[in-house]
Amino acid sequence: MFKTHYDCPCLETCPLHYAMQIIGGKWKMQILCMLNNKGSMRYNTLKKRLDGISNTVLANALKELEQSGLIERTEYLEVPVRVEYSVTEKCDKLMPVLDAFSEWGEEMQKY
């Protein structure tokens, strides 16, 4: 029998729960994978490649990922101002975990 996350005695301090709060959500992993695979990208390029994401959701996800230290926002003082997003070293450390998680998901799809 599976327990719900409400049964977890360490819910507030559980490292896995904390990690999932950072990368969880509908779009965050897709944003991280996109930036990891394609390199630095501007907001509008991300928006076009993430079909179906709204401006509000993308802006919020980018802000949260930046606050978590997984991506960085670089502003170039040009006219007009150019802003690019890229992954950080923290995100580089996360990617092997996401790759392993992806492999696990691929195996689970076979069942």
Side-chain angles (χ1 to χ4, degrees):
M1 180 164 117
F2 290 108
K3 293 184 177 185
T4 67
H5 70 279
Y6 298 106
D7 296 327
C8 181
C10 61
L11 185 61
E12 292 182 22
T13 60
C14 177
L16 181 57
H17 179 75
Y18 177 73
M20 292 308 295
Q21 284 182 317
I22 293 172
I23 63 171
K26 185 174 178 181
W27 296 100
K28 286 183 182 176
M29 282 214 252
Q30 290 160 303
I31 292 167
L32 291 174
C33 290
M34 179 78 65
L35 292 174
N36 183 67
N37 293 334
K38 303 292 185 184
S40 296
M41 297 179 94
R42 295 174 77 168
Y43 180 92
N44 285 334
T45 305
L46 271 170
K47 174 99 171 66
K48 287 177 189 170
R49 293 190 180 199
L50 296 169
D51 189 39
I53 192 169
S54 70
N55 282 320
T56 303
V57 171
L58 179 56
N60 288 339
L62 290 170
K63 188 183 299 182
E64 290 172 12
L65 290 168
E66 183 181 9
Q67 289 171 346
S68 300
L70 294 176
I71 65 170
E72 63 184 358
R73 179 183 188 273
T74 306
E75 192 172 301
Y76 297 93
L77 300 178
E78 302 171 350
V79 178
V81 173
R82 176 171 54 108
V83 175
E84 292 185 350
Y85 296 90
S86 58
V87 296
T88 63
E89 192 174 315
K90 252 186 195 180
C91 187
D92 289 338
K93 291 179 182 180
L94 172 65
M95 293 317 292
V97 175
L98 294 183
D99 287 340
F101 198 55
S102 176
E103 289 173 18
W104 177 79
E106 191 174 346
E107 285 296 315
M108 293 302 291
Q109 286 179 332
K110 294 176 184 176
Y111 297 108

